[in-house]
Amino acid sequence: MNHSNYKNYKKQNIKIKLEKLPIEKIIEHTKDDVLGFPVEIQREFVWRRPQVQSLLESILLGDFIGNLLSWRSKNFTISIENIKGDEIDTNKVKEIILDGKQRVTSLYRIMTDGFLEERKKTFYFFINFRALKENNSSLDRIDNISDIVKISTFEHPKEEYKDYLFPFNMMRNEQFIKNWINNIKKYCRKEKIKYDPNLLSFVHKKIDEFLKYKIPIITITKEASTSSMVRTFEAINTKGIKLNNFDFVVAKLSNYGIYLHDRFEKIKKIREINAGYDIFGNDLKLSIIQGMYLYKYGSSPNRTNLLKMCDKYGGHINDFEKDWKESIESAQEAIKNIIQRYGAFKRELLPSTSVLPVLIALDRKIKEKYKSTNSKFQEKIDTWYWSAVFANVYKKSTTTQMVKDFNTVWEWLEDEKKDSPKTIKDAIDNWKNKDVKFLLNLNSTQAEYKGVMCLMASNDPKDPLTDEHFSERKSDDTHIDHIFPKKLFEGKSDKREKRIPEELKKYKESVLNKSLISEKTNELKGYKLPSEYIELLISEKQKSKKISNEEAKEEVKEAFKTHFINDEAYEAMEIDDFKKFLEARGKAILEAIKERITPPQNLTQPRNTTQPNKNDTNRDDQKYQVRQTRQTKPSTANNP
């Protein structure tokens, strides 16, 4: 701790009050803006489905979910927002939640809206009264606690009445409860299932217990100062998700009049930053701060060092302003490259968030000394990036790895005689003996799988029907498609199913059986065999372009090459040979990976890429705008 920062500190006359409030009262106070949330010293809502589900289960089972910490005052001197994130009149708020925002927000959303938005998807939460009732007499022996809270992407799931699924947001609606019970009775009669006459009383009992579940609240009274609350916030460590490094940085900088939340809010409209949120989520904020630290000090951007950096900005706001401005500019460039150059156009396909601070720091370093990045530098950075992905060096997201990469890549950029960084050597060693079988067995959670998908996107594949490149689409119409459709792997009635050998059916979801095509092409393709699909594409091209059959064949074949489907893989598609296709395409992708991780000076010929000409600024700009807004859809035609 830097004791000099607290030389004017005066002991606070803090008083603490302990009380317990039922959930229904907390929800009411939150809705009426009696309870608020501090803007500058608190993170945004970051909980996901598992955390919310666990919270609801704990309450239903009567478990302890931790205390809330609040601050009561008649004159708040900090910005306060309500549960919806809107800034509100501080005179209206009686107290603010210092610790417990994740829990309070979860309860409020589930009990009012009834759903949770996560990565642009909607999830609905239900009490499974069947499971709860069956285990009510012996809760200590529940084999699968998670059964008592169900999550569905449907507001009315199929098992709604079968499993007595009750929506959390209807707990206080007596008419809905009556209708719900009547519908269950009808369902039981229809399915000839015995109806439990005690169900209604049990439901009322459990709902009442949930609403009256009391959460302890430790309230700090008005004598406490804002700076005291910031220090309290820094020290919080309760049952909820622990404060991350960014939360601590926000709280620390606010002591010096530097408000990060406001700054990030102001730059959200910058298209690259906006796109960054889509790809990185809230990790973007910490990554920018880590990039700032890496550039300045070249050492580990861990919590201790980040807070030391914050203290150094104390009294030197102009220094912060300069670093902030330059870091945001470099972040824009780095995000643009990650989406456009490295193909991470979708959050689920991002191999790692930890490369962003390194790219930001390198960009600042290059601009400081050379004004801009030349092609030789860019090729080296590209090699490092793909090596980091395919060596999976960031699987633990360690700040130590960031430091190693930043320093060694920078030395490599400056000195042409310098040996390539260890990350690149590790990637080359790792992939020296990798074969097609390794690619076949990758699953969608692995960095290497995501890397292959990004490799496909970065190659700017050409749609075999529309002739549009991946970068040229102007609407949300990109599908991750199964080349050999899912239908071929399922069911026993379809004779075509025999075309997929039994031992190869496990590779249905293999990355080697995926490609990126337009919605229009995917609709045309449907469940067709590759051979049928190819013939249809050729026929469509002949009609639309008025060219010969041979010319149409050549165009279709050339388009597939941009998807890493070489001549051998294409021939396998023509005869619907899944085994031959996997082997041929696997070899093509292996070759592309090894090329991307090979240092430019070791290449015997220029890199094999079909990316558009980078000098074509109009197309390049269009390409980025498309990537910025696209949300790639999974294939619907091949997904019954």
Side-chain angles (χ1 to χ4, degrees):
M1 179 184 289
N2 187 349
H3 293 284
S4 63
N5 291 325
Y6 300 111
K7 60 184 179 182
N8 297 321
Y9 170 68
K10 293 180 181 180
K11 184 179 178 181
Q12 301 292 310
N13 182 25
I14 295 176
K15 293 181 181 178
I16 294 175
K17 179 182 178 182
L18 177 62
E19 57 185 330
K20 293 182 179 181
L21 277 183
I23 287 177
E24 59 183 348
K25 202 70 177 175
I26 292 172
I27 299 300
E28 184 183 317
H29 286 343
T30 305
K31 185 177 181 180
D32 296 338
D33 292 343
V34 174
L35 285 177
F37 303 90
V39 175
E40 287 306 329
I41 60 170
Q42 199 169 62
R43 62 179 160 196
E44 297 174 353
F45 180 68
V46 296
W47 269 19
R48 299 299 184 198
R49 281 166 288 157
Q51 286 84 21
V52 178
Q53 184 180 30
S54 178
L55 174 70
L56 297 173
E57 288 161 356
S58 296
I59 296 171
L60 285 168
L61 297 174
D63 294 339
F64 180 62
I65 63 167
N67 301 314
L68 302 181
L69 179 65
S70 72
W71 174 25
R72 186 173 298 165
S73 176
K74 290 183 179 179
N75 183 28
F76 292 109
T77 57
I78 58 175
S79 297
I80 301 172
E81 63 183 11
N82 61 18
I83 193 72
K84 295 179 180 178
D86 301 322
E87 198 160 328
I88 52 178
D89 183 0
T90 55
N91 294 321
K92 192 175 183 180
V93 181
K94 290 186 179 179
E95 54 190 282
I96 59 176
I97 297 293
L98 292 174
D99 181 41
K101 179 176 182 178
Q102 306 303 315
R103 284 166 285 170
V104 172
T105 305
S106 298
L107 288 169
Y108 181 85
R109 290 187 180 181
I110 297 308
M111 293 181 65
T112 54
D113 298 327
F115 61 84
L116 186 74
E117 294 286 351
E118 183 179 326
R119 295 178 184 175
K120 300 187 178 179
K121 291 184 179 179
T122 302
F123 298 94
Y124 298 90
F125 289 73
F126 301 85
I127 303 174
N128 185 340
F129 273 110
R130 182 184 290 280
L132 191 59
K133 194 172 193 311
E134 287 175 355
N135 294 284
N136 190 51
S137 59
S138 55
L139 288 178
D140 289 339
R141 289 185 283 116
I142 291 181
D143 295 325
N144 188 2
I145 294 292
S146 62
D147 279 346
I148 67 174
V149 174
K150 285 287 188 180
I151 304 174
S152 174
T153 54
F154 300 100
E155 190 172 2
H156 298 289
K158 290 180 181 179
E159 66 273 26
E160 184 173 6
Y161 298 121
K162 174 187 171 185
D163 289 338
Y164 302 166
L165 299 185
F166 187 92
F168 276 89
N169 63 319
M170 289 298 173
M171 281 186 169
R172 289 173 286 186
N173 189 326
E174 192 61 39
Q175 187 58 50
F176 179 89
I177 295 173
K178 289 179 181 178
N179 293 339
W180 183 77
I181 290 291
N182 287 333
N183 285 330
I184 287 178
K185 288 179 180 177
K186 291 176 184 176
Y187 172 80
C188 289
R189 281 197 298 269
K190 180 182 176 183
E191 300 296 326
K192 297 181 181 179
I193 300 171
K194 185 179 178 182
Y195 169 71
D196 184 352
N198 298 318
L199 178 62
L200 179 59
S201 60
F202 180 76
V203 167
H204 274 127
K205 178 187 175 186
K206 288 301 174 185
I207 287 177
D208 190 60
E209 287 177 359
F210 188 94
L211 294 173
K212 287 183 167 53
Y213 178 97
K214 291 185 177 181
I215 303 177
I217 301 181
I218 300 171
T219 304
I220 300 172
T221 57
K222 61 184 178 183
E223 285 82 0
S225 67
T226 300
S227 59
S228 173
M229 289 304 95
V230 169
R231 290 192 296 275
T232 301
F233 180 81
E234 288 183 26
I236 290 171
N237 183 12
T238 63
K239 184 181 176 182
I241 292 179
K242 292 183 180 180
L243 299 176
N244 61 34
N245 292 347
F246 182 75
D247 299 323
F248 281 99
V249 168
V250 169
K252 178 67 75 175
L253 287 176
S254 68
N255 272 327
Y256 304 117
I258 300 171
Y259 302 112
L260 273 189
H261 281 314
D262 274 355
R263 290 172 183 273
F264 275 107
E265 199 60 39
K266 288 175 182 176
I267 63 171
K268 262 188 176 181
K269 291 182 180 178
I270 299 174
R271 66 177 189 178
E272 290 87 357
I273 300 299
N274 188 34
Y277 277 109
D278 286 342
I279 305 301
F280 291 92
N282 282 318
D283 291 336
L284 174 69
K285 297 177 179 179
L286 178 61
S287 293
I288 291 174
I289 301 301
Q290 288 177 323
M292 185 185 294
Y293 182 89
L294 264 180
Y295 161 76
K296 284 177 71 68
Y297 303 106
S299 57
S300 177
N302 56 34
R303 177 180 297 181
T304 301
N305 286 340
L306 290 178
L307 293 180
K308 285 180 181 177
M309 178 178 74
C310 293
D311 283 331
K312 288 182 180 179
Y313 284 128
H316 303 281
I317 293 183
N318 287 340
D319 291 345
F320 177 84
E321 296 289 357
K322 179 179 181 295
D323 283 336
W324 173 258
K325 182 175 179 290
E326 291 178 3
S327 293
I328 293 304
E329 289 173 355
S330 290
Q332 291 175 60
E333 190 65 29
I335 292 166
K336 187 174 180 178
N337 279 336
I338 285 174
I339 296 172
Q340 171 183 305
R341 194 174 189 89
Y342 305 131
F345 60 93
K346 183 182 179 187
R347 181 175 175 83
E348 287 79 3
L349 297 181
L350 182 69
S352 168
T353 60
S354 301
V355 293
L356 184 56
V358 183
L359 289 172
I360 290 170
L362 286 172
D363 188 76
R364 280 195 70 182
K365 202 81 172 173
I366 291 168
K367 285 176 179 174
E368 175 192 50
K369 190 165 184 180
Y370 301 101
K371 303 303 179 186
S372 62
T373 302
N374 60 42
S375 59
K376 191 178 291 185
F377 281 2
Q378 189 61 63
E379 281 196 337
K380 285 187 172 184
I381 292 171
D382 290 348
T383 305
W384 163 76
Y385 177 89
W386 290 110
S387 297
V389 169
F390 287 113
N392 199 9
V393 295
Y394 285 101
K395 57 186 172 184
K396 294 183 180 178
S397 297
T398 59
T399 54
T400 304
Q401 185 65 43
M402 292 182 197
V403 178
K404 289 178 182 175
D405 279 342
F406 169 66
N407 288 317
T408 56
V409 172
W410 174 244
E411 290 171 5
W412 189 45
L413 294 179
E414 283 219 290
D415 187 352
E416 290 189 4
K417 296 179 181 178
K418 195 81 177 177
D419 210 3
S420 56
K422 185 176 183 297
T423 294
I424 296 175
K425 291 178 180 177
D426 287 346
I428 292 171
D429 287 342
N430 285 345
W431 285 85
K432 190 184 299 179
N433 299 315
K434 289 279 194 297
D435 56 15
V436 173
K437 189 174 181 181
F438 176 80
L439 291 176
L440 280 170
N441 289 301
L442 291 175
N443 66 65
S444 59
T445 64
Q446 293 176 278
E448 294 93 336
Y449 178 101
K450 296 174 182 180
V452 172
M453 289 301 301
C454 290
L455 189 68
M456 293 179 192
S458 73
N459 208 48
D460 201 25
K462 191 175 184 180
D463 191 272
L465 174 65
T466 66
D467 285 340
E468 284 181 322
H469 281 273
F470 174 70
S471 61
E472 295 175 322
R473 297 184 195 128
K474 298 178 181 179
S475 60
D476 179 16
D477 70 346
T478 295
H479 287 239
I480 297 177
D481 171 65
H482 291 76
I483 297 170
F484 280 71
K486 293 174 74 172
K487 193 80 171 177
L488 296 179
F489 298 80
E490 301 164 357
K492 296 181 180 180
S493 59
D494 194 332
K495 293 179 181 179
R496 297 180 304 174
E497 182 250 352
K498 295 179 181 177
R499 294 180 185 272
I500 305 296
E502 195 65 37
E503 69 274 13
L504 297 180
K505 286 184 179 180
K506 60 185 176 182
Y507 300 128
K508 174 181 68 177
E509 298 296 337
S510 169
V511 71
L512 299 184
N513 193 33
K514 301 291 178 68
S515 69
L516 302 170
I517 60 175
S518 70
E519 185 173 15
K520 182 178 179 181
T521 306
N522 197 38
E523 287 174 357
L524 175 78
K525 180 177 181 292
Y527 301 121
K528 295 175 182 65
L529 292 165
S531 60
E532 298 170 339
Y533 170 41
I534 287 174
E535 286 301 318
L536 190 56
L537 286 171
I538 292 169
S539 175
E540 288 291 323
K541 275 194 181 293
Q542 273 188 278
K543 292 176 188 175
S544 62
K545 303 182 88 171
K546 293 181 173 56
I547 56 179
S548 69
N549 182 266
E550 287 304 313
E551 287 173 319
K553 278 184 179 179
E554 190 60 30
E555 284 198 12
V556 169
K557 191 174 182 179
E558 288 303 309
F560 275 115
K561 283 184 180 179
T562 65
H563 296 257
F564 297 110
I565 295 174
N566 57 19
D567 290 345
E568 191 180 348
Y570 183 80
E571 288 168 9
M573 288 176 67
E574 288 183 306
I575 58 174
D576 302 315
D577 189 331
F578 189 50
K579 183 176 183 180
K580 183 180 177 182
F581 172 80
L582 292 176
E583 186 67 29
R585 195 180 192 219
K587 287 178 181 177
I589 289 175
L590 278 173
E591 185 181 330
I593 291 171
K594 289 175 181 178
E595 179 211 25
R596 296 291 177 99
I597 63 177
T598 301
Q601 64 266 33
N602 296 344
L603 286 171
T604 56
Q605 53 186 317
R607 292 191 189 277
N608 176 28
T609 176
T610 58
Q611 289 191 53
N613 185 350
K614 298 299 176 185
N615 294 321
D616 186 346
T617 55
N618 289 334
R619 180 171 175 182
D620 189 49
D621 191 57
Q622 180 192 56
K623 176 178 181 178
Y624 181 74
Q625 287 176 336
V626 173
R627 294 281 174 83
Q628 181 185 0
T629 57
R630 178 187 292 112
Q631 282 296 310
T632 301
K633 304 174 184 176
S635 170
T636 53
N638 295 340
N639 189 11

